[in-house]
Amino acid sequence: MRFRTIAAAIAGMLALAACSRSTARYDGPLYLNEDAPIEDRIEDALQRMTMKEKIDILHAQSKFSSKGVPRLGIPELWCTDGPHGIRAEVIWDKWRTAGWTNDSIVAYPALTCLASTWDRDLAALYGKSIGEEARYREKDVLLGPGLNIYRTPLNGRNFEYMGEDPFLAGEMAVPYIRNVQKNGVATCVKHFALNNEETGRMEVDVELSDRALYEIYLPAYKKAVTEGGSWSIMGAYNKFRGQHCCHNKTLLCDILRDEWGFDGAVITDWGGAHSTDEAALNGLDLEFGTGTNGLATNYDGYDNYYLALPYRDKLLSGELPMETLDTKVRNVLRLMMRTSMKTRKPLGSICSDEHYAAAKKIGEDGIVLLKNDASTLPIRLEECSNILVVGENAIKMMTVGGGSSSLKAQHEILPLEGIVERAGDAAKVTFARGYVGDPTGEYDGIVAKQDLAETRGEQELIDDAVALAKEADFTIFIGGLNKGENQDCEGGDRYGIELPYAQDALISALAQATQKLAVVFVSGNAVAMPWVDSVPAIVEAWYMGSEAGHSLASVLFGDACPSGKLPFTFPVRLEDCPAHALDPVFPHMDTARYVDDIYVGYRGYERSGVKPLFAFGHGLSYTTFAYSGVRADKSKVKNGGSVTISADITNTGKVAGAEIVQLYISDLESRLDRPAKELKGFDKVWLEPGQTKTVSITVSVDDLRYFDPEAHAWTVEPGEFEAHIAAASDDIRGSVRFSLQ
Ligand code: BGC
C-alpha cells in the first residue's frame, strides 16, 4: 500500500494544481490530468509503459490486489467482497483474516432481502452506503452485486442474488451500481453468467437455448452494464457451451463488448482462468486467484498466472497477437482512472448511524409476511406478557459464513436480542433452543461470538420447547437455513428443499401446542413447509446483517408494516420447480442442459399449471389494499412508442403501509411460444389508512419484445397484448388490453 499512498499524494498535488487552473496551468503528464479526456489519458499512459509493466497490471499481486505502475505513480488496484458488506482484510496471499482491528463494517441485508423490497430508492441507499464503506476502506472494486438468476432452490448462493425475474433483478441492480460508483469505487457484477449451481461450479458446462440466454439469464447483466454503467464485471467459474466463462468468446467478445458496448474491465472469478490463449483472445482483462481453486490453498506464483509470464512468452514468440495486450491494458487503465487513479472522489465513511439506519430500513422493508391468518401478527404487547422464542437462528450470527460474502460486522443484533429489547418491561421473553443446527461459527479466522454448544437430544429439545409454548402468550419460532456448508453457502448446494435438522417435527409440535405462533425463517432460499396449514403466521426474514434483530422486531411488533414481496417462487415440492420437474439430475457435474428453457420460476409454474406454495411477488401486509380503475392511456400503441397503465390503490385497512404494485404483460398473439405473462414494471406506494393514490407504470414497446433465435434479434409483432395490474404473480387485480400497431 506504500506505493499507493505516494501515488495518491502525487496525484493529489496535481489535482490541487488542476483545481486552481484559473491561476496556474496544469503541467504534469497527461495521464494524470483528471480534466483531460479519459481516452487521451489512457493512450498517454499506455505509450509510457514497458511491456513488463503492461503485463504486470493484468493479474493479481496478492489475494485481492493487482499491481499499479510504481514508476509512473499509478497506484495498485484493490478489490473487496462484496456484495453485502466490505470483507475483512486478509493476509497478503492467504484467505485467512489478517487480524486487523480497524476493518469492522456494517453488514447490510443479503441481496435476496434487497430484492424483496422492490424499492429502487432502497437499492440506491444500499449502493450509497456500501459504496461509502468501500471507499473509506480504500477499496477500488467492490465484487458485487450478484445477478445470477434463481433457477433452483438448491443453489447454495441464491442468497447473494436478486431472485428469479430478470426485470426485477436488473431494476434493483442499476441504482445499487450507480450509487456505489459515485464514490469512485467500481462495482463488479457477478458471476457472468449462468452460475446457477455450486457443486461442480469449476467444470459444469451449461447448454441452453439462445432464447433462454437472452430473455432470462442476460437481461439483468445487460441493464447493469448499459444503464447502471458498471465499470467491471466478473466471469463465472462454470463453462458455457464448452468454454469457461472467464474467457468465453460468445459471452465476453460477442455479447458483452460487441452487442452491449461494455468499456470496463472483465475480471476473473478467483481461480476462474484456465488458459492463456483463451484469456488472451476472448476478452479477459484481469486475472485473480489462479491456483487457489476459488476458495482453498495458498499460491504465491503470481508470475505463473495465465496472464503473466506464459502470456508474455506467447506474445514475444508471436503465438498471440500483441494488440490483445494493449486492449487489455486500456481496459484496466480505464478502470483505474475511474477508481484508484481518481483523486476527486468522496472520502467515504464507515459504521455511521446513517449506515445502520439504512441496513435496518432495508431489512424491515425486505421482510415478507407469507401468511397471517386471524391477524396473528403483529404481536400486541398489551395481550402478551410472556413471549417464547424458539430456535437456533434466534441466537446464531449469520454474518459469519456462507463463503466469500462472510463479514466481520462491527455488531450484529441477533433476532432474540432485538425481540428482548423491543419487548422491554412489557413482556418476559424466554428462549428455548428447540433444535440444534450448525453450532459452529468461524470463517477464515473470524469467529462468531456465541457459544451454541448443546447437550440435549432432539426429542428432549422439542419437548422442552413445547412445554414452554403451552405456557406462553405468544411463541416465535426462528429457524430456517444458515451459512454452513450445503445450506446457504458458496461452494456447495443444498441436498434438498426440506428444512434441515429437526425443524419440521419441532414446528408441527409447536403448532399443536399453540396457535399464538409465528414461524420466522432466516434464510436465502425457499424451503418446503409440510406443516403450512397448521401454522397461522409465517415470515421470511432473509439474512439481514448488522441490524437483523432490530428489523425483525420492528415488523413482528408492528412498528413497521411489512411490505416485502417474494423475488422467487416457493414450491410445494422440489419436483414442482421447472428446473427439477424436467431434469431430476442435480447437481450436474458435467453438462447442465437448461431444459426448462425460458420457463424459469413463475413462467414455468404458470405453464405447467402447478400451484406453488407461495408465488413470485407474494407478500402480505398488516393492512389491506383495494385496486380499482385499471386503465391504459391508449388502446393502440405504435411501434417505437409506449403505453402507460394506471390503477388506483386504496389502503382499506387500519394502519399505514406500503404496497408493491406489479405490472405483468401477456402477449396474446405471438409466432413463438411465450410465457403466460411477464413482469414489466412495478412501483411501491405508501398509503395512510383510507388514502388512495394512482400508480402509473409506463412500458415501452421495446419491453414487449422477445428474442427471435433465428434472426438473432429482439423482435415484436403487431397484435393484442394484455396488461395486468397485480398484487402478486398469482393475484391479478385488473387487466386491460391494448394492441400494437
Ligand atoms: C467467489 C466470488 C468472490 C471471490 C473473491 C470467489 O470464490 O465466487 O464471488 O468475489 O471468490 O473472494
Side-chain angles (χ1 to χ4, degrees):
M1 290 265 254
R2 197 153 25 100
F3 288 128
R4 182 188 172 112
T5 317
I6 297 167
I10 295 171
M13 287 185 309
L14 293 172
L16 258 183
C19 281
S20 51
R21 59 188 172 280
S22 49
T23 49
R25 249 196 53 206
Y26 172 81
D27 58 1
L30 177 63
Y31 69 96
L32 288 179
N33 180 357
E34 291 178 53
D35 289 321
I38 192 166
E39 296 306 318
D40 295 352
R41 295 174 60 205
I42 291 169
E43 293 310 315
D44 182 52
L46 189 74
Q47 55 92 14
R48 292 168 192 263
M49 289 166 72
T50 65
M51 185 179 185
K52 179 173 184 325
E53 286 168 341
K54 289 181 182 178
I55 288 179
D56 274 354
I57 69 167
L58 301 184
H59 59 84
Q61 62 165 4
S62 77
K63 268 288 174 256
F64 284 102
S65 72
S66 54
K67 273 198 182 137
V69 189
R71 184 179 62 85
L72 297 178
I74 295 179
E76 299 162 342
L77 189 79
W78 279 83
C79 304
T80 177
D81 284 301
H84 306 142
I86 309 309
R87 186 174 177 154
E89 300 298 331
V90 297
I91 295 172
W92 185 256
D93 54 14
K94 292 191 170 58
W95 292 109
R96 195 103 192 130
T97 175
W100 289 19
T101 51
N102 59 350
D103 56 352
S104 303
I105 41 70
V106 174
Y108 296 92
L111 291 188
T112 37
C113 181
L114 175 64
S116 302
T117 68
W118 297 58
D119 189 327
R120 297 170 181 90
D121 292 340
L122 289 183
L125 179 64
Y126 195 122
K128 173 180 183 290
S129 312
I130 195 172
E132 286 170 353
E133 302 223 346
R135 179 65 197 103
Y136 192 83
R137 288 267 309 275
E138 299 208 339
K139 304 303 177 194
D140 305 307
V141 180
L142 175 68
L143 305 175
L147 293 179
N148 294 95
I149 290 294
Y150 188 109
R151 176 171 182 258
T152 156
L154 300 191
N155 179 3
R157 282 192 99 167
N158 280 335
F159 72 103
E160 292 181 72
Y161 304 141
M162 295 210 262
E164 73 188 26
D165 185 80
F167 181 81
L168 175 62
E171 287 293 294
M172 299 301 284
V174 169
Y176 179 119
I177 291 165
R178 287 185 183 160
N179 285 280
V180 167
Q181 294 194 160
K182 279 182 190 160
N183 292 285
V185 174
T187 52
C188 184
V189 290
K190 65 190 189 183
H191 309 89
F192 188 63
L194 304 157
N195 188 176
N196 301 111
E197 41 191 277
E198 287 288 294
T199 312
R201 65 179 179 173
M202 291 292 175
E203 288 307 319
V204 67
D205 185 10
V206 178
E207 291 286 347
L208 81 174
S209 73
D210 268 357
R211 234 188 127 190
L213 179 70
Y214 276 86
E215 290 189 18
I216 304 295
Y217 296 96
L218 294 187
Y221 290 103
K222 182 176 181 189
K223 234 176 220 181
V225 165
T226 58
E227 290 179 36
S230 185
W231 293 328
S232 66
I233 191 165
M234 182 190 287
Y237 280 136
N238 51 285
K239 293 180 191 167
F240 161 60
R241 294 186 185 154
Q243 206 166 48
H244 277 104
C245 291
C246 287
H247 29 70
N248 186 291
K249 181 175 176 303
T250 309
L251 288 176
L252 302 179
C253 303
D254 303 345
I255 296 176
L256 181 67
R257 297 277 178 203
D258 293 352
E259 292 181 17
W260 301 350
F262 179 65
D263 71 354
V266 175
I267 302 180
T268 56
D269 198 343
W270 268 230
H274 300 269
S275 143
T276 295
D277 288 13
E278 286 185 7
L281 299 170
N282 295 346
L284 177 65
D285 300 310
L286 250 170
E287 179 187 359
F288 275 92
T290 301
T292 63
N293 195 21
L295 284 176
T297 52
N298 176 36
Y299 182 80
D300 56 8
Y302 296 103
D303 279 346
N304 296 323
Y305 270 38
Y306 294 100
L307 284 183
L309 294 184
Y311 183 36
R312 187 204 60 181
D313 293 347
K314 289 196 169 199
L315 287 169
L316 290 176
S317 71
E319 271 177 85
L320 286 169
M322 203 54 94
E323 57 274 19
T324 61
L325 175 62
D326 283 356
T327 303
K328 291 178 199 310
V329 172
R330 284 190 183 97
N331 291 335
V332 173
L333 284 172
R334 198 173 294 112
L335 174 64
M336 289 172 153
M337 288 185 186
R338 287 165 164 168
T339 60
S340 55
M341 290 175 72
K342 193 177 163 91
T343 61
R344 297 175 204 157
K345 56 188 174 188
L347 293 173
S349 54
I350 203 154
C351 294
S352 63
D353 290 350
E354 288 78 11
H355 290 177
Y356 281 115
K360 176 170 180 273
K361 171 75 178 152
I362 293 161
E364 272 170 17
D365 280 40
I367 290 174
V368 183
L369 180 62
L370 294 172
K371 182 176 178 186
N372 195 22
D373 286 357
S375 298
T376 302
L377 287 172
I379 300 166
R380 296 155 193 90
L381 276 173
E382 58 284 8
E383 296 164 17
C384 304
S385 58
N386 180 9
I387 295 173
L388 174 68
V389 176
V390 184
E392 183 173 287
N393 285 358
I395 55 164
K396 184 168 169 63
M397 275 181 80
M398 293 295 185
T399 54
V400 177
S404 55
S405 61
S406 181
L407 294 170
K408 181 172 167 186
Q410 191 196 46
H411 75 236
E412 176 175 347
I413 308 293
L414 298 170
L416 181 62
E417 292 169 345
I419 291 166
V420 168
E421 184 185 317
R422 177 61 182 81
D425 295 334
K428 177 177 109 196
V429 179
T430 311
F431 175 71
R433 179 68 173 269
Y435 71 94
V436 177
D438 171 20
T440 66
E442 193 259 335
Y443 190 82
D444 281 340
I446 294 175
V447 183
K449 291 171 197 78
Q450 289 67 38
D451 176 7
L452 298 181
E454 174 60 61
T455 51
R456 285 170 291 173
E458 205 169 284
Q459 194 55 49
E460 197 182 348
L461 286 168
I462 294 180
D463 293 345
D464 288 354
V466 166
L468 289 167
K470 285 182 178 156
E471 302 300 313
D473 300 323
F474 200 98
T475 298
I476 310 166
F477 168 82
I478 305 182
L481 305 175
N482 55 50
K483 301 283 189 72
E485 275 174 28
N486 301 107
Q487 302 277 322
D488 285 320
C489 183
E490 176 180 349
D493 297 299
R494 295 168 67 201
Y495 297 127
I497 196 179
E498 298 72 30
L499 271 176
Y501 322 121
Q503 294 183 82
D504 282 336
L506 171 62
I507 295 169
S508 300
L510 289 172
Q512 272 200 339
T514 176
Q515 278 297 292
K516 284 300 217 181
L517 172 67
V519 165
V520 176
F521 291 123
V522 174
S523 63
N525 253 319
V527 296
M529 305 182 201
W531 35 258
V532 66
D533 292 333
S534 61
V535 169
I538 306 173
V539 173
E540 176 55 70
W542 315 114
Y543 298 110
M544 290 184 293
S546 286
E547 287 291 291
H550 287 151
S551 304
L552 180 63
S554 140
V555 167
L556 290 179
F557 290 92
D559 306 330
C561 183
S563 59
K565 299 213 178 186
L566 289 179
F568 53 81
T569 312
F570 275 54
V572 177
R573 311 168 309 158
L574 185 64
E575 311 84 273
D576 296 346
C577 169
H580 296 277
L582 301 165
D583 175 10
V585 177
F586 190 91
H588 302 86
M589 301 308 287
D590 39 30
T591 303
R593 255 178 252 290
Y594 285 12
V595 282
D596 46 339
D597 201 55
I598 56 170
Y599 295 97
V600 176
Y602 66 93
R603 291 166 169 82
Y605 292 89
E606 291 182 358
R607 183 178 163 90
S608 66
V610 172
K611 240 180 98 55
L613 182 59
F614 296 109
F616 172 81
H618 168 78
L620 304 173
S621 166
Y622 293 152
T623 187
T624 46
F625 300 98
Y627 287 57
S628 62
V630 174
R631 55 201 181 269
D633 66 341
K634 49 180 89 76
S635 58
K636 294 185 171 68
V637 186
K638 289 204 183 74
N639 203 356
S642 64
V643 56
T644 298
I645 314 295
S646 303
D648 305 318
I649 318 294
T650 305
N651 182 344
T652 48
K654 292 196 177 66
V655 294
E659 171 71 335
I660 293 159
V661 179
Q662 302 161 37
L663 172 70
Y664 295 86
I665 303 276
S666 306
D667 185 352
L668 303 178
E669 299 168 55
S670 170
R671 192 169 57 83
L672 294 189
D673 200 21
R674 297 195 75 173
K677 63 179 188 295
E678 294 182 281
L679 183 76
K680 296 293 177 189
F682 59 86
D683 204 357
K684 188 167 173 180
V685 58
W686 173 264
L687 293 165
E688 297 296 329
Q691 194 182 9
T692 300
K693 279 186 192 163
T694 300
V695 167
S696 295
I697 303 173
T698 299
V699 185
S700 78
V701 171
D702 279 358
D703 295 334
L704 305 177
R705 298 178 304 173
Y706 62 83
F707 189 80
D708 181 345
E710 271 169 41
H712 195 81
W714 288 94
T715 183
V716 64
E717 293 149 4
E720 285 290 295
F721 288 81
E722 193 163 35
H724 313 280
I725 290 287
S729 63
D730 65 347
D731 186 6
I732 293 175
R733 299 296 182 91
S735 302
V736 58
R737 285 190 180 201
F738 61 90
S739 63
L740 180 67
Q741 310 268 284

